[in-house]
Amino acid sequence: MLETSTVVLPDFAAGAVNLASARLGATGIFSTDEFFAPLSRMLNDDPASFDPDLYDDNGKYMDGWESRRKRVPGHDYAVIRLAMPGRIFGFDVDTRFFTGNYPPHCSIEAAHVESGDPTDATVWTEVVTKSPLGASAQHFFKNADASKVWTHLRLHIYPDGGVARLRVYGAAHFDWSKVGASEEIDLAYIFHGAKSLAWSDAHYGHPDKILSPGRGTNMGDGWETKRRRGPGHDWAIIRLGHPGVINRVLIDTHFYKGNYPDTCELLGAYLPEAGDTFSEAEIAASEQWKPILTRQKMQMDAEHFYEGDQVQKIGPVTHVRIAMHPDGGVMRLRLFGTKA
């Protein structure tokens, strides 16, 4: 059984990226105990699942991190290296499917390590005080100070038990002051702070995936919409990591063969005061943003490069709207340019 959350996410999740995403590179580097289920499962991007008939050598198979029943003083904890350094807005400690084996309480500490992983000398700061947890539920905790940049977390569970998923909502930290005025950089890279804010459909894959590192591992590693049966087309609005001037565009349909878009186009706008959510009126207005790339014919399983006169010079932009006509899948979007 796969349980997709129907819980309304808190405001701090709007426009945020999951810094604890295994797909983006977050890693569990230590746990006091993972007898029943390994720490790595807690960072999986897919929602937790449950198979009542599935067992392994140590007992019931659980989709998360689960320690054994503690028979000595103390409590269990785990250390996680975030996918990227970032500011943290809040957390989701999800105990779904853990009913008689969830921890009654948890707390979270954070640390900033310049290079490598924490040592005994690392200073930890408590960002979530010891708080109650319930059975098979999502528990949201807001971070009171979202200004600091962290690289690692330490999740404490009291005294033992299981956590299905840990989501860490925040923003990637990238030091744009170190980027030269004429240095070309990917403005749409999630590690540089880019984020999708609105989209028409994400049935098979979230548009954040097109901002991810690498070229993609399979068809599930991109943004793909369901088959459109009516008028219109699919689109996504992306906030760039920094205002910039786009010089070169790459649209990659890697792995998409019978489901790539017929055509794609790219529009842009300079909206430095825009928020993390877009109203219906703002979404409608985005259809009139300035064209950066006019509609281009796509090919299956191919990288499509555009530069020179193919890319319209519209000046600095903060947001782009990529449109697929009529629907389909895109693996990666790269927007190379200079910061404004």
Side-chain angles (χ1 to χ4, degrees):
M1 177 168 59
L2 182 68
E3 184 175 293
T4 301
S5 173
T6 57
V7 173
V8 176
L9 294 178
D11 290 344
F12 63 67
V17 63
N18 177 21
L19 300 173
S21 161
R23 182 181 61 82
L24 293 176
T27 306
I29 58 176
F30 174 79
S31 69
T32 51
D33 187 277
E34 49 184 3
F35 182 83
F36 283 116
L39 177 60
S40 59
R41 287 183 198 159
M42 186 180 70
L43 306 180
N44 285 343
D45 290 78
D46 293 333
S49 62
F50 182 77
D51 184 341
D53 299 320
L54 183 59
Y55 290 80
D56 58 23
D57 290 342
N58 289 334
K60 184 71 191 74
Y61 181 96
M62 295 298 293
D63 190 9
W65 166 48
E66 185 184 2
S67 64
R68 74 190 86 193
R69 302 188 187 210
K70 189 163 286 295
R71 303 307 191 196
V72 296
H75 68 275
D76 290 315
Y77 67 88
V79 179
I80 295 105
R81 182 196 307 127
L82 299 177
M84 63 200 89
R87 296 180 295 111
I88 296 174
F89 308 145
F91 304 87
D92 177 9
V93 181
D94 187 349
T95 60
R96 277 181 289 182
F97 302 115
F98 288 90
T99 54
N101 50 352
Y102 65 93
H105 294 85
C106 78
S107 67
I108 302 176
E109 296 174 301
H112 185 275
V113 181
E114 287 293 340
S115 61
D117 290 317
T119 67
D120 291 342
T122 297
V123 176
W124 292 91
T125 301
E126 188 174 67
V127 291
V128 175
T129 59
K130 189 174 180 179
S131 303
L133 299 177
S136 194
Q138 291 173 261
H139 306 81
F140 297 104
F141 303 101
K142 184 176 181 179
N143 183 18
D145 184 0
S147 64
K148 295 183 174 63
V149 175
W150 307 109
T151 60
H152 293 75
L153 295 179
R154 191 158 61 183
L155 172 64
H156 299 264
I157 56 174
Y158 302 92
D160 54 38
V163 175
R165 294 291 185 268
L166 175 67
R167 308 295 192 207
V168 181
Y169 294 102
H173 172 73
F174 182 74
D175 190 353
W176 283 91
S177 67
K178 295 182 178 179
V179 179
S182 61
E183 181 179 346
E184 188 176 72
I185 191 168
D186 185 359
L187 299 165
Y189 188 34
I190 202 163
F191 279 38
H192 294 161
K195 181 72 177 69
S196 58
L197 300 182
W199 48 89
S200 58
D201 183 77
H203 187 81
Y204 292 113
H206 196 285
D208 270 355
K209 292 183 177 181
I210 65 177
L211 315 176
S212 300
R215 199 184 168 200
T217 55
N218 55 48
M219 201 169 70
D221 197 21
W223 169 42
E224 185 186 358
T225 64
K226 60 179 172 283
R227 299 186 187 212
R228 181 169 287 271
R229 300 307 191 190
H233 65 273
D234 288 316
W235 52 269
I237 294 174
I238 295 159
R239 180 184 59 212
L240 303 181
H242 193 282
V245 176
I246 296 171
N247 299 321
R248 295 190 298 129
V249 175
L250 166 64
I251 300 174
D252 190 357
T253 59
H254 192 31
F255 292 113
Y256 294 108
K257 298 177 181 179
N259 49 353
Y260 62 94
D262 181 56
T263 61
C264 282
E265 66 179 329
L266 189 72
L267 310 177
Y270 184 71
L271 304 170
E273 305 302 321
D276 291 328
T277 58
F278 272 59
S279 67
E280 290 297 324
E282 290 170 323
I283 289 172
S286 72
E287 296 187 50
Q288 306 305 317
W289 289 357
K290 296 179 181 179
I292 298 171
L293 188 70
T294 57
R295 285 177 66 168
Q296 303 290 323
K297 191 76 172 176
M298 295 287 107
Q299 304 295 326
M300 70 175 184
D301 194 19
E303 293 181 303
H304 306 77
F305 290 98
Y306 307 97
E307 57 186 352
D309 292 340
Q310 294 174 302
V311 178
Q312 306 300 309
K313 306 302 185 288
I314 66 170
V317 295
T318 56
H319 296 72
V320 297
R321 174 183 167 122
I322 179 172
M324 302 189 293
H325 296 267
D327 54 28
V330 168
M331 183 61 59
R332 292 293 184 266
L333 173 69
R334 304 295 187 210
L335 302 178
F336 300 104
T338 54
K339 69 176 186 179

